[in-house]
Amino acid sequence: MKRIDSKKIKAACDRIIARICGTYVGDEQLVEKILAAALANGHVLFEDNPGLGKTLLSKLLAFSIDCKFSRVQCTPDILPADILGTKVWRPNDGSFELFKGPVFTNVLLLDEINRSPPKTQSAVLEVMEERQVTIEGETHRCEEPFFVLATQNPIEYEGRYPLPEAQIDRFILKLSTGYPRSLEEEKLIVNRRIEWKKDDPTRDLEPVISAREFKGLQKVVENDIYVDDVVIKYIAEIVRKTREHQQVEVGASPRGSLALLKASRALAVIKGRDFVTPDDIKTLAVDALAHRLILKVEDVMRLIDERKVIKQILEAVSVPKYYRER
Ligand SMILES: Nc1ncnc2c1ncn2[C@@H]1O[C@H](COP(=O)(O)OP(=O)(O)OP(=O)(O)O)[C@@H](O)[C@H]1O
Ligand SMILES: [Mg+2]
């Protein structure tokens, strides 16, 4: 484990967050969490009503780290090839030409993923996990960094194919932008729009770091952040408790523990540390674990939600006071 320059890395993260929040109005902690997911090389699932700034946020993130961005609107008739790409026959020279789909990008926004049919969902989720695309027997590596933000609509629509649990499990965090938190924010959004004088303020956004530097930060998060045994035990206890909770039918898997670990290392870096604290775990536990739980049917009827279950668990598990910082 290399010693890292935490101050310098924090400064880079601060610049990214400031660049995003220069346009996006809302919770800075949410922006930190999205950045944490990206730094941890994980994908994010958004559940929100329309028009709350998800497309804006995704583009701002992509462009501020000098990355390519593409967006796919999922529909009930979308095919895997519409996202992955396909081979097209060129009669002129008698060969097949590879037509790369929108998945060949750095930041991919999949809007309303739960409207796409199961075959397309599983094709995409496979790419997310394996970071490679197979088109007619030929395998291509995804670009690096590669980060998927998928949105699903909470409103009951016709023609929805809910994501199966195994696929939801692939998202490192599930987040929601939510509505503006105050009248001030509401006004600021409108005022910013007047300042921009155009609908897409992201078009000439200057990046604050290069995609290569961002990849470097991802490596630091993966390799150089210390997590004390006591903190690991804390993660394990929280995750085990999700399986013992009386309202839970199926608890979080070890993939849940790993997601929480990875996101926490990234949050540590954002906060200017080279070690994870129990507070990092607490900050991310709900977003990293709630979507992995399946509640018992009778409790779903009582409208107890998964996020509440994780909050209860966090209150029940004692927070380690003494842990090593390195
Ligand atoms: N928090 C916000 N800060 C700044 N602008 C915002 C915010 N929320 C929404 N907007 C503005 O409102 C418009 C709609 O936002 P956007 O397209 O990002 O929403 P969305 O969540 O992607 O919606 P949909 O679910 O329909 O795709 C954009 O012009 C965006 O600039
Ligand atoms: Mg959108």
Side-chain angles (χ1 to χ4, degrees):
M1 205 179 279
K2 279 203 319 277
R3 287 312 288 220
I4 55 164
D5 187 343
S6 311
K7 265 197 191 146
K8 198 171 145 208
I9 295 176
K10 179 179 189 299
C13 295
D14 284 347
R15 285 205 306 278
I16 299 171
I17 293 168
R19 181 54 41 100
I20 295 174
C21 293
T23 304
Y24 173 79
V25 178
D27 188 2
E28 201 166 297
Q29 202 184 33
L30 174 81
V31 177
E32 278 178 9
K33 286 175 179 174
I34 296 170
L35 179 60
L39 283 170
N41 213 5
H43 312 287
V44 170
L45 180 63
F46 273 106
E47 190 166 276
D48 265 308
N49 288 319
L52 295 177
K54 299 176 295 284
T55 303
L56 178 69
L57 253 178
S58 319
K59 281 184 161 177
L60 289 170
L61 172 69
F63 298 148
S64 57
I65 57 174
D66 197 21
C67 277
K68 283 183 282 180
F69 171 85
S70 50
R71 173 184 171 276
V72 176
Q73 174 64 52
C74 300
T75 53
D77 57 358
I78 195 168
L79 298 171
D82 295 331
I83 300 177
L84 309 186
T86 185
K87 283 200 172 160
V88 184
W89 176 245
R90 296 273 176 230
N92 288 351
D93 50 12
S95 67
F96 282 97
E97 193 190 333
L98 177 68
F99 171 76
K100 287 184 171 180
V103 75
F104 290 90
T105 188
N106 300 117
V107 177
L108 174 65
L109 175 63
L110 290 173
D111 262 326
E112 300 186 273
I113 190 171
N114 53 341
R115 290 185 68 206
S116 56
K119 204 167 174 180
T120 305
Q121 280 179 13
S122 66
V124 170
L125 286 145
E126 206 176 298
V127 176
M128 285 165 54
E129 183 90 344
E130 288 167 16
R131 291 168 191 275
Q132 58 183 34
V133 187
T134 306
I135 301 168
E136 315 224 352
E138 225 175 70
T139 301
H140 307 267
R141 294 289 308 155
C142 286
E143 313 225 357
E144 282 183 58
F146 176 61
F147 178 50
V148 173
L149 295 125
T151 77
Q152 61 176 2
N153 232 301
I155 305 165
E156 288 293 325
Y157 272 123
E158 271 197 48
R160 259 177 23 128
Y161 304 91
L163 293 181
E165 283 71 24
Q167 299 190 341
I168 287 196
D169 211 26
R170 304 254 157 97
F171 291 93
I172 191 168
L173 300 179
K174 182 176 164 196
L175 300 169
S176 122
T177 50
Y179 284 91
R181 293 166 300 172
S182 61
L183 184 64
E184 285 311 306
E185 280 192 359
E186 209 90 48
K187 273 169 51 194
L188 190 54
I189 292 175
V190 180
N191 274 326
R192 287 226 172 132
R193 172 65 186 76
I194 295 170
E195 267 167 46
W196 301 332
K197 299 191 172 59
K198 58 188 169 202
D199 267 325
D200 188 358
T202 61
R203 207 165 303 150
D204 14 70
L205 196 87
E206 288 286 322
V208 290
I209 65 170
S210 70
R212 238 187 84 225
E213 285 170 301
F214 192 78
K215 263 175 64 184
L217 295 184
Q218 287 181 321
K219 287 225 171 73
V220 166
V221 168
E222 179 67 39
N223 301 319
D224 305 320
I225 306 304
Y226 177 75
V227 192
D228 195 50
D229 265 350
V230 177
V231 177
I232 291 176
K233 181 163 164 261
Y234 183 50
I235 296 178
E237 274 176 350
I238 294 169
V239 171
R240 280 192 83 76
K241 278 266 184 332
T242 67
R243 295 175 211 143
E244 293 159 7
H245 195 281
Q246 52 173 341
Q247 275 141 359
V248 175
E249 182 77 49
V250 182
S253 67
R255 195 190 262 141
S257 322
L258 295 180
L260 186 50
L261 168 78
K262 288 180 187 171
S264 306
R265 288 194 301 217
L267 188 63
V269 158
I270 293 171
K271 298 288 182 195
R273 282 182 267 107
D274 59 0
F275 58 91
V276 174
T277 67
D279 243 11
D280 297 329
I281 309 293
K282 271 176 103 171
T283 306
L284 290 163
V286 173
D287 305 308
L289 298 177
H291 60 290
R292 300 170 205 274
L293 307 186
I294 303 175
L295 299 187
K296 291 188 176 144
V297 178
E298 61 269 26
D299 292 308
V300 174
M301 307 297 255
R302 264 190 263 140
L303 292 177
I304 286 173
D305 74 65
E306 296 85 356
R307 298 177 70 85
K308 238 181 237 158
V309 169
I310 303 289
K311 282 180 194 156
Q312 283 173 5
I313 292 173
L314 286 177
E315 279 177 14
V317 177
S318 62
V319 186
K321 284 203 189 73
Y322 305 101
Y323 53 92
R324 289 214 346 256
E325 297 190 343
R326 198 64 180 171

